[in-house]
Amino acid sequence: MALQAKDIVEIQMDALEHQGLGLAVNDLIKDLCKVMDIQGIFRKYLSNVKGFSIAVGTLSNPAFSEFLTNREFDFSNIDGKKEHYLIKSTGEEGRQLIIAGSDTRGAIYGIYDFSRSALGVNPLYLWTGHRAAAIESLDFSSISMTDGPHTFSYRGWFINDEDLLLGWTGKFDTNFQNNAFTKHAGYADALEPVMETALRLKQNLLIPCSLLDILDPSDEDLVRRVADRGLLITQHHIEPLGVFPKRVLRYWQERGDTEPLSYTKNPEKYEEVWRLYAGRWARYDNVVWQLGLRGMGDKPVWADDPYAPETDSGRGQLIAGAIAKQLEVITEAVGHNNFASTATLWMEGMELLKGGHLSFPQETMIIHADFGPTQMLGDSFYEVKREPGRQYGLYYHVAFWSDGPHQVQGTLPHKIHYNLQAAVQHGNTGYLVVNVTNVREMLLGTQYTAALGWNFELNQPEQFMQHWAAEHYGQEGCAGAVRAYQAYFAAFHSLDNTGYDGRMLLMDGMCRRLIIKLTAILQGQPFTKDEIQNKTLLAFDQATDFVAYYRKATEEALPKWDVALNVAYQALQGIEKERREFFTTNLLVQLSLIRGLYRAVHQLSNAAESVLAGFKKEEGHVRGPILEAAAELQQAAIIRLHAERGKWKGWYDGDVLLNLPDLIRQINECAGNN
């Protein structure tokens, strides 16, 4: 017998299970209603049911284990494992479906795998708008699924530089540096779909925002929500123990201490604040603690500490000493030493480790990182020696501000696979956290890294891309969509091909820098090399060389963007209407934006060449290209409105990083249009 549409099904879960499992059950009830118009009745106890029912639980719960044993349900193949699940029918005529997890997240993953595999619910449905096709009947007796993580242990996302998510869910300080200190209460509304999607994609770890301050009630609410969902939480690599160094400075300034902050000279000032924050974080048992010692921003500690050592060995000892003290502080706060900790080697940390100047406690997992502007692992990753018995992980970017992808995706699936394969081969499988910025623009890379993190061997890039396109655009639109994404990724100009074709691509954040630099040249300012992580972008001695390079680079790339737009337009015609909205927002809008940025850079380069040759920017043949550049970005801003329909209204209200309106303003001012 099969469950029929519009039937009633009872879903049972013991009341002592984690509330995150109950939230997943509520999602299952909604999925059943949407797909089969079924009324799900949620019972928080386990009992015998004559009709169709679904029993959900964890083997770590004695009541559920006894429930299964009494039904002679064999769960031995997941017993004692982490995050595994088993889905199978039992009872008279297979009317009862069991979703058993070895632990809470295992059961949660089982629920969402059932929704995806049996009901056809897309794990990205909250972002794509696609509804699963209606099902008239479902035979429980034919369902048998079991799985667990195969590759990475910790798997999660870093919601970083989240300007669009903040603006979409409420008003906030448009000076993003100020806003980083305080999230508005509405940000929790953005976090809910992020967490549900993360669990549907079998993630277990989240950094819910940039620079979270757990002493702020609205920020602590985010921590509580992550815990309630059954996810682990960790901290930004520049905020060890959840403390951004600027908050240490502010803490003492509020107490009348205006001395320069220095861990070298006054470690007790840091340690007092560490204890304050660790005590609050210790309320939660789902924390993976971040250790380290960084500067006031995303830079080395010695950039801001006037008393810091000048030698590599001295700097390594300073950081190692701080980490040892942090472990003491955490142990004191939680009351034991059985906690997880990581140290992310971003920028200077990797070089110190490679040189033998930095050491870590054996129980702390070392996290290597890619280089954000390239999304490639550097030489140090391959050269540094691994210690036997130590766990290693990876921090990876599919988004990176300001010299990488932000409002347009740019990390190719092949590049993702290449770098994660290196991580697997070198044993960095303890941890995989991916920077996904505002999530929505990076859904392809976000889903692919999640799939690789769960089971690397089953997710080759070509096959994944075919499956992804079919799942989101249907079988009829699949082939055209794949060609469109291929043409899109092939159109980016490559700034560096060293060791890998397309190592560094010219992304949207880089285009913003170029536009600002070109308008400065047009205003008569001298060309300077800014102090940025991406040294390649401005690696020129003369303004003439800088301008000539980007004029030619964009001249060569623009025909490729035109081809990509044509291929995408043709693909759109083959996609059923109900699925076109996602193709429009995920590809066409982004393609139009990056094409507009390239065209603006090209027009400004033409104008700058004329100015450097001695012409005035007010002359018609110079001012014309400047106005064309503004028009290109204005057109991109208009096209971008297609991504602000329905629930996405106001999506770009928080655009303070790429800041398209500001770029248009600067270009118009350059042209004399005040």
Side-chain angles (χ1 to χ4, degrees):
M1 296 183 66
L3 179 67
Q4 302 297 319
K6 300 185 179 181
D7 275 354
I8 296 175
V9 62
E10 190 168 301
I11 304 175
Q12 300 182 347
M13 181 194 80
D14 184 70
L16 295 182
E17 296 285 4
H18 190 284
Q19 72 180 87
L21 186 54
L23 293 172
V25 168
N26 286 331
D27 289 335
L28 174 59
I29 291 171
K30 288 186 289 186
D31 292 347
L32 285 165
C33 180
K34 286 184 290 187
V35 175
M36 298 187 70
D37 196 18
I38 278 177
Q39 179 185 354
I41 301 174
F42 191 4
R43 307 287 192 198
K44 291 192 176 181
Y45 55 81
L46 302 169
S47 66
N48 293 319
V49 180
K50 290 185 178 181
F52 285 100
S53 67
I54 301 174
V56 178
T58 63
L59 301 185
S60 53
N61 180 355
F64 185 68
S65 294
E66 182 180 357
F67 177 80
L68 297 183
T69 301
N70 290 340
R71 282 154 181 76
E72 298 182 347
F73 187 88
D74 183 9
F75 51 80
S76 58
N77 64 331
I78 66 168
D79 195 13
K81 297 180 180 178
K82 287 187 177 181
E83 300 182 343
H84 280 63
Y85 57 88
L86 173 62
I87 308 172
K88 198 171 182 179
S89 64
T90 187
E92 183 182 352
E93 297 180 320
R95 290 188 177 195
Q96 185 171 57
L97 188 71
I98 302 293
I99 302 178
S102 60
D103 49 28
T104 297
R105 278 186 295 278
I108 291 172
Y109 299 153
I111 287 173
Y112 290 131
D113 198 8
F114 170 76
S115 281
R116 184 179 189 180
S117 301
L119 302 179
V121 177
N122 189 315
L124 299 183
Y125 82 97
L126 289 166
W127 309 86
T128 68
H130 175 63
R131 291 178 61 92
I135 296 175
E136 291 300 319
S137 65
L138 182 63
D139 183 2
F140 278 3
S141 65
S142 66
I143 298 172
S144 180
M145 295 183 283
T146 185
D147 203 0
H150 296 262
T151 308
F152 288 86
S153 299
Y154 292 119
R155 307 170 305 281
W157 300 340
F158 180 13
I159 312 302
N160 185 216
D161 297 317
E162 61 279 12
D163 58 339
L164 302 186
L165 284 172
L166 283 164
W168 179 52
T169 51
K171 293 188 179 299
F172 71 108
D173 190 337
T174 54
N175 182 327
F176 191 68
Q177 292 303 313
N178 292 340
N179 186 67
F181 281 113
T182 306
K183 302 289 181 293
H184 57 69
Y187 180 73
D189 295 332
L191 191 60
E192 290 299 328
V194 170
M195 292 189 296
E196 181 181 331
T197 304
L199 288 166
R200 285 182 183 268
L201 291 176
K202 300 173 181 173
Q203 304 296 279
N204 60 15
L205 183 69
L206 193 65
I207 305 175
C209 61
S210 304
L211 308 178
L212 184 149
D213 185 356
I214 199 169
L215 299 186
D216 183 292
S218 63
D219 279 19
E220 185 172 11
D221 182 54
L222 303 179
V223 179
R224 187 180 302 110
R225 286 169 182 260
V226 173
D228 289 349
R229 261 293 185 175
L231 285 160
L232 300 167
I233 190 168
T234 191
Q235 299 137 343
H236 190 338
H237 58 82
I238 67 171
E239 46 180 327
L241 279 66
V243 184
F244 186 36
K246 286 184 179 179
R247 291 200 174 98
V248 181
L249 180 64
R250 186 173 65 178
Y251 176 89
W252 290 107
Q253 287 176 341
E254 289 172 348
R255 286 154 180 77
D257 187 337
T258 58
E259 289 293 315
L261 190 65
S262 168
Y263 186 77
T264 310
K265 184 180 180 182
N266 300 112
E268 71 280 357
K269 291 184 178 180
Y270 274 81
E271 291 161 11
E272 180 172 327
V273 181
W274 288 345
R275 286 190 174 90
L276 177 65
Y277 275 79
R280 185 63 63 88
W281 278 95
R283 294 178 176 182
Y284 304 91
D285 62 2
N286 64 323
V287 180
V288 177
W289 297 83
Q290 179 72 225
L291 310 179
L293 187 66
R294 303 294 310 282
M296 291 296 165
D298 199 351
K299 53 187 176 180
V301 63
W302 51 85
D304 298 302
D305 186 340
Y307 303 100
E310 296 184 359
T311 65
D312 286 345
S313 60
R315 290 168 171 175
Q317 290 173 15
L318 179 70
I319 296 171
I323 288 174
K325 177 56 69 173
Q326 288 166 0
L327 286 173
E328 289 181 20
V329 169
I330 298 168
T331 301
E332 177 185 309
V334 301
H336 58 80
N337 60 6
N338 186 27
F339 54 83
S341 64
T342 65
T344 302
L345 301 186
W346 174 245
M347 297 171 60
E348 72 280 1
M350 183 68 93
E351 293 303 314
L352 290 173
L353 181 67
K354 188 178 77 169
H357 305 297
L358 181 59
S359 61
F360 297 91
Q362 186 64 31
E363 65 270 26
T364 297
M365 188 185 302
I366 294 177
I367 311 302
H368 297 153
D370 65 325
F371 182 50
T374 63
Q375 305 93 60
M376 294 288 292
L377 295 166
D379 292 341
S380 295
F381 171 84
Y382 298 96
E383 295 169 359
V384 71
K385 293 181 180 179
R386 270 67 170 179
E387 300 173 42
R390 181 187 291 281
Q391 285 190 301
Y392 293 86
L394 180 67
Y395 170 41
Y396 190 72
H397 295 80
V398 297
F400 180 77
W401 184 259
S402 61
D403 287 320
H406 185 68
Q407 284 192 26
V408 300
Q409 57 196 320
T411 312
L412 291 75
H414 280 84
K415 179 182 280 189
I416 294 171
H417 184 272
Y418 179 90
N419 285 278
L420 267 61
Q421 183 177 52
V424 172
Q425 291 172 343
H426 285 77
N428 285 58
T429 56
Y431 175 106
L432 174 62
V433 162
V434 181
N435 188 317
V436 298
T437 191
N438 296 289
V439 182
R440 190 182 178 205
E441 284 73 19
M442 307 299 160
L443 290 170
L444 171 58
T446 298
Q447 187 168 1
Y448 189 39
T449 52
L452 291 171
W454 181 260
N455 192 329
F456 182 85
E457 294 300 326
L458 287 185
N459 288 284
Q460 296 299 310
E462 295 87 356
Q463 290 84 349
F464 176 85
M465 194 65 224
Q466 291 286 338
H467 175 76
W468 194 84
E471 184 172 28
H472 295 297
Y473 304 124
Q475 289 297 333
E476 291 186 4
C478 172
V482 170
R483 287 193 294 271
Y485 280 91
Q486 289 171 340
Y488 169 85
F489 285 119
F492 284 94
H493 171 72
S494 181
L495 293 165
D496 182 9
N497 292 310
T498 305
Y500 186 90
D501 190 24
R503 184 178 192 86
M504 182 188 292
L505 303 179
L506 181 58
M507 301 290 185
D508 53 326
M510 300 180 196
C511 287
R512 175 179 171 80
R513 287 192 184 276
L514 296 180
I515 289 170
I516 292 172
K517 186 65 67 175
L518 288 165
T519 54
I521 292 172
L522 288 166
Q523 300 278 31
Q525 298 177 24
F527 175 75
T528 57
K529 295 181 182 180
D530 300 339
E531 285 298 319
I532 58 176
Q533 292 178 15
N534 182 4
K535 306 301 182 186
T536 303
L537 188 67
L538 304 176
F540 303 90
D541 294 324
Q542 302 294 329
T544 51
D545 296 333
F546 165 75
V547 171
Y549 178 86
Y550 286 107
R551 184 196 61 76
K552 183 178 180 182
T554 50
E555 181 179 50
E556 293 175 351
L558 286 174
K560 298 178 184 178
W561 286 119
D562 293 342
V563 168
L565 184 60
N566 181 59
V567 174
Y569 175 79
Q570 296 298 326
L572 183 67
Q573 311 313 307
I575 297 172
E576 57 188 81
K577 290 184 178 180
E578 193 269 334
R579 297 175 183 264
R580 287 183 180 180
E581 180 181 352
F582 179 55
F583 186 79
T584 298
T585 58
N586 190 253
L587 189 65
L588 285 173
V589 167
Q590 295 186 35
L591 195 162
S592 299
L593 175 56
I594 190 65
R595 180 173 175 265
L597 287 165
Y598 269 58
R599 291 176 72 87
V601 170
H602 185 67
Q603 294 290 358
L604 292 173
S605 297
N606 286 333
E609 276 198 340
S610 297
V611 167
L612 292 173
F615 295 97
K616 302 290 186 182
K617 69 181 176 70
E618 291 77 17
E619 296 183 49
H621 73 284
V622 181
R623 187 169 182 266
I626 300 174
L627 293 173
E628 286 284 346
E632 294 292 351
L633 297 189
Q634 288 164 345
Q635 183 180 54
I638 292 169
I639 293 172
R640 204 169 64 166
L641 295 174
H642 286 284
E644 291 196 300
R645 294 174 175 173
K647 73 176 184 179
W648 302 108
K649 181 180 179 181
W651 178 249
Y652 295 108
D653 286 358
D655 176 19
V656 298
L657 294 179
L658 180 62
N659 206 338
L660 210 53
D662 178 64
L663 288 178
I664 295 169
R665 177 192 60 78
Q666 290 190 50
I667 296 171
N668 275 323
E669 287 181 358
C670 182
N673 288 356
N674 296 325

